[in-house]
Amino acid sequence: MNSKTQNRESLALKNLNGFYQNYSQDKKDTNGKIDGLESLGLKNLGQVYWNLSVPKLIEHSIVRQEGILASNGALCVKTGKYTGRSPKDKFIVDEPSIHNEIDWNTVNVPIAIEKFDLLYKRMLAYIQGKNLYVFDGYVGTDPSYQLSVRVINELASHNLFVHQMFLRPTAEELKTHHPDFTVISVPGFQGDPDIDGINSEAFIVLSFEKRLVLIGGTHYAGEMKKSVFSFMNYIMTKRNVLPMHCSANMDNDGNTALFFGLSGTGKTTLSADPVRHLIGDDEHGWSDLGTFNFEGGCYAKTIRLSKENEPQIWEAIRFGAMLENVVLDENTRVPDYDDGSLTENTRVAYPVEYIPNCVIPGIGGHPKTVIFLTADAFGVLPPIAKLTHRQAIYHFMSGYTSKVAGTERGITEPQATFSACFGQPFLPLSATVYGKMLYEKLVKFDATVYLVNTGWTGGPYGIGSRIKLPFTRAMISAALSGELDHVAFHDHPIFKILVPESVPGVEQHILDPQKTWSDPAVYEQQAKALAKRFVENFKQFHQAPLEILEAAPVF
C-alpha cells in the first residue's frame, strides 16, 4: 500500500461516523500497565483497534478495499493465490517440552527454535507503523474447559472473521480478559524460504511453549481457525477432553449426535437440520460432563449452495457474514454460488446464532449417536451401516473419503484419501491417542456409531450417481430417532460392517451397494480394491490393539 493510499484510508476512517475509539497505544490493565502487545514485541505501531463491533469492522474493510458488500448484506472478499489451507506451509516449533509428544510426520513438520525466532523478528519489523485489529475472545463454550484467545490482525476483514468464528465476550468479561494463547496474522508479510527455513512465502507456525501462532503470506482466513483448533487438539487431551473435528446437534429432548467428516462429505449441511438444534458445525470437545462447541461461529462451504437443499445456511448469509471467493454479479452484487471459477472451496463465516434453532451456549450431553461421513467416489460403500465400537475406531483412525476429478489440479479419476480421525492436519499427537480416547468414551457412554456414505452409488464417479440428499437425510433421521434399532442387519462380505435390510423413506435396493451396480463382479473387484487401500493405509498404525486391527476389511 503506497503513501497516498494510506493517507486516503486514514482520512476515510477518521470521517466514518466520527466516533471511532481508535487507540494509538496498548490497552491498559487494572494496574495501568501496558497489557499484551508490547510484551509480544509489538512496538511503534500505527492505530490499534480493539474489539471493534461488526458494523465498524465491515466499514473498515470496505474503506480499506478489502472487500465489497453482496446484495444479501454479507461482506465478500477474495483471498488471492491461497484459496484454501496450505498444509505444506504449516510448522510446529521443535521445543524441548513437546519434542517427545508430537507425532512428527508430513503434516507435523518441525521448525527449529532459531528459525522461529528469526521469522518472528522479521515479522515484528514488518508490523512497525502498521494499523492493527485486535480481537479478544474465548474458545470452548463449557466454562470448565474454556480458554482465552487473542487474535491480532493486519486486515479488518480477518478480524471480522475471528470475531464471528470464536466466542465473543461481554463488555464486563473484556475487562479481565487475559489470553491463554495468541494468533498474529499478517498476510502482507511474506516469508523467505532461504532465510526462514520454510517452503514458500506462506507460513503457519505454532509454538506450544510460547502459546503463539504466526501466520503470514496467505489471505485465507481459515488458517486462523484451524491453528486455534490445532492448539485445542493438544491442550484438551491434557484435561481428559477428546477434541473432535465434527459437527453436533441435539433433538428437543437433549439427545446429542456427532457428525465426523472431511471437507465435502456434508458435515455442515447434515448437522444444520430444521428439526434439530445446532450445537456447532466443526469443532467440539467431549468431556466427562458432555460435549461442547469450541467455537462461536460456522464456516460453511457455499459451492452450489441452494435455498431448497440448505435453507438454514442460505438464510445465515446476511449482514455480518463474510464470504470468501464467491463470485458476485458485477452490477447487482448477487452471489453466484454455482460459480467455482475462483475455487471450489468457496466459503462463508457467520456466528452460530444466525442458525435459528441453534443451542446457546453450545453445550450438549453425551452423544447417543455418532455418525462418520464419507463421500465414497468408488461407489462401493453402503449408504449407511452400523459399526461396532472396535470397527468405529478402525474407521475413525482411517478417516476415509475420496477426492474426485475437478477438485484439484492433476486429479483425473477418484483418489482415496485417508485423514486420521477425520482431521489429521490438525492433530499434533498420534492418532492412536485420539482413537483410544474415543473408544473409552463410546464404551463408557454407550454411543451407537454409523458409517454414512454421501458419495456415489450404482458405480464410481462418472458412471454412478451421487446418493440423493433426501435419502441421506432420511437414513440419518432413522439412525437418530432409534428406528434402526428395530430393523435387521447383515454383514457386508468385504468391509464386515452391518448393513440394514430396510430404512423408512429409503428405496430398499440402494441399501445394498452391489445391487445398484449393473455387474456384481465389477462391484466386488472395486470393493476389494478399496479394502486393500484401507489395509495399506492402516499399516502406519501397526501398534494399534489387535482387536482394532481385526476390524479391517478383507480382500
Side-chain angles (χ1 to χ4, degrees):
M1 186 181 294
N2 60 41
S3 59
K4 290 184 178 179
T5 303
Q6 285 180 320
N7 290 336
R8 287 197 299 269
E9 175 193 314
S10 298
L11 179 60
L13 290 176
K14 287 179 181 178
N15 289 335
L16 275 175
N17 298 328
F19 53 79
Y20 282 124
Q21 293 182 341
N22 299 336
Y23 295 92
S24 60
Q25 59 181 3
D26 288 343
K27 184 174 63 176
K28 307 292 183 177
D29 66 18
T30 55
N31 297 318
K33 296 179 180 178
I34 291 177
D35 175 86
L37 301 193
E38 283 201 355
S39 65
L40 291 168
L42 294 163
K43 301 177 182 179
N44 304 319
L45 303 174
Q47 296 289 326
V48 180
Y49 301 96
W50 289 88
N51 300 299
L52 292 187
S53 66
V54 166
K56 290 181 180 180
L57 287 170
I58 291 172
E59 289 170 347
H60 278 237
S61 300
I62 292 172
V63 167
R64 290 162 55 93
Q65 300 182 355
E66 295 175 18
I68 59 176
L69 284 183
S71 60
N72 53 22
L75 179 71
C76 187
V77 304
K78 295 179 181 179
T79 65
K81 175 181 177 180
Y82 293 91
T83 57
R85 289 186 303 100
S86 188
K88 293 183 179 180
D89 294 310
K90 177 189 170 186
F91 301 87
I92 296 176
V93 184
D94 190 358
E95 297 158 320
S97 63
I98 55 94
H99 175 80
N100 293 326
E101 289 186 88
I102 302 300
D103 183 27
W104 302 109
N105 52 39
T106 57
V107 296
N108 293 327
V109 179
I111 185 170
I113 295 174
E114 296 76 17
K115 289 295 185 182
F116 171 80
D117 290 341
L118 177 59
L119 179 63
Y120 191 19
K121 288 178 182 177
R122 296 198 326 106
M123 175 185 276
L124 293 176
Y126 168 85
I127 290 173
Q128 289 196 38
K130 296 285 193 299
N131 294 345
L132 296 177
Y133 295 83
V134 182
F135 169 75
D136 288 331
Y138 298 104
V139 184
T141 54
D142 188 333
S144 301
Y145 303 101
Q146 192 172 79
L147 295 175
S148 302
V149 62
R150 171 168 292 163
V151 186
I152 301 168
N153 295 115
E154 180 181 16
L155 300 181
S157 55
H158 274 191
N159 207 242
L160 172 68
F161 175 86
V162 296
H163 182 283
Q164 303 295 48
M165 285 307 307
F166 300 123
L167 297 167
R168 297 159 286 279
T170 64
E172 195 63 29
E173 288 172 330
L174 280 175
K175 294 178 181 178
T176 56
H177 184 279
H178 184 77
D180 293 309
F181 57 98
T182 301
V183 179
I184 304 176
S185 177
V186 284
F189 174 65
Q190 297 188 345
D192 185 330
D194 294 333
I195 298 174
D196 303 313
I198 54 180
N199 295 325
S200 73
E201 73 276 5
F203 58 88
I204 306 94
V205 184
L206 286 72
S207 169
F208 287 108
E209 280 192 4
K210 290 183 174 64
R211 299 288 183 99
L212 181 63
V213 180
L214 306 182
I215 301 174
T218 172
H219 284 69
Y220 182 66
E223 297 288 14
M224 295 180 288
K225 165 187 162 70
K226 290 306 184 184
S227 63
V228 170
F229 185 41
S230 296
F231 254 96
M232 296 296 281
N233 280 332
Y234 176 78
I235 295 170
M236 287 294 102
T237 60
K238 311 299 182 185
R239 306 176 69 176
N240 196 33
V241 174
L242 171 64
M244 304 175 294
H245 188 212
C246 70
S247 57
N249 64 24
M250 66 166 64
D251 64 16
N252 290 330
D253 297 322
N255 294 313
T256 300
L258 304 179
F259 298 78
F260 288 85
L262 297 167
S263 179
T265 59
K267 177 163 52 70
T268 298
T269 298
L270 293 168
S271 60
D273 187 333
V275 301
R276 292 176 67 85
H277 305 284
L278 181 69
I279 299 172
D281 82 323
D282 196 46
E283 299 170 7
H284 293 79
W286 187 355
S287 72
D288 284 340
L289 301 176
T291 53
F292 62 97
N293 194 356
F294 286 167
E295 301 178 307
C298 302
Y299 192 38
K301 292 190 75 170
T302 61
I303 193 69
R304 289 174 286 280
L305 178 74
S306 71
K307 188 174 183 179
E308 293 72 27
N309 288 334
E310 298 163 292
Q312 291 188 310
I313 297 173
W314 180 279
E315 296 296 337
I317 306 177
R318 56 182 192 262
F319 185 79
M322 191 184 89
L323 291 165
E324 279 186 325
N325 300 311
V326 173
V327 176
L328 306 181
D329 182 273
E330 184 176 348
N331 295 315
T332 66
R333 296 293 195 261
V334 173
D336 183 356
Y337 298 119
D338 294 328
D339 190 333
S341 58
L342 295 177
T343 177
E344 286 281 307
N345 188 38
T346 54
R347 293 273 181 174
V348 62
Y350 50 85
V352 70
E353 301 96 284
Y354 281 19
I355 299 296
N357 58 344
C358 67
V359 179
I360 301 295
I363 297 175
H366 297 293
K368 178 182 178 182
T369 308
V370 175
I371 307 289
F372 292 163
L373 299 169
T374 180
D376 175 29
F378 298 95
V380 298
L381 289 177
I384 189 167
K386 184 187 290 186
L387 305 178
T388 67
H389 287 161
R390 292 172 181 176
Q391 289 173 336
I393 302 309
Y394 185 89
H395 283 270
F396 177 67
M397 292 176 63
S398 296
Y400 165 70
T401 193
S402 51
K403 296 177 183 178
V404 297
T407 58
E408 291 184 10
R409 288 182 299 173
I411 296 180
T412 57
E413 60 183 28
Q415 291 186 1
T417 300
F418 295 92
S419 184
C421 310
F422 299 100
Q424 188 173 8
F426 325 117
L427 305 182
L429 308 180
S430 169
T432 57
V433 173
Y434 306 100
K436 181 176 183 292
M437 292 183 73
L438 178 61
Y439 181 79
E440 291 171 349
K441 293 189 183 299
L442 291 176
V443 172
K444 183 175 181 178
F445 301 108
D446 194 27
T448 303
V449 185
Y450 291 93
L451 179 67
V452 173
N453 174 20
T454 60
W456 275 256
T457 186
Y461 174 80
I463 298 176
S465 59
R466 192 84 188 246
I467 296 171
K468 296 178 180 178
L469 182 59
F471 284 168
T472 300
R473 289 193 187 279
M475 288 183 282
I476 289 178
S477 177
L480 299 181
S481 67
E483 291 178 282
L484 292 187
D485 296 341
H486 309 292
V487 304
F489 288 79
H490 65 269
D491 288 338
H492 190 282
I494 295 172
F495 292 96
K496 301 190 293 189
I497 52 184
L498 300 170
V499 181
E501 299 287 346
S502 63
V503 176
V506 179
E507 296 175 7
Q508 188 172 6
H509 78 281
I510 76 163
L511 297 176
D512 185 342
Q514 188 167 19
K515 292 180 180 179
T516 67
W517 283 54
S518 59
D519 189 334
V522 176
Y523 167 84
E524 183 177 348
Q525 181 182 15
Q526 185 84 311
K528 288 183 176 180
L530 180 58
K532 184 177 181 180
R533 289 187 173 96
F534 267 89
V535 173
E536 286 296 318
N537 172 73
F538 214 82
K539 286 180 179 179
Q540 64 183 302
F541 308 124
H542 60 89
Q543 294 181 334
L546 180 61
E547 58 267 28
I548 303 301
L549 296 174
E550 289 176 342
V554 294
F555 59 93

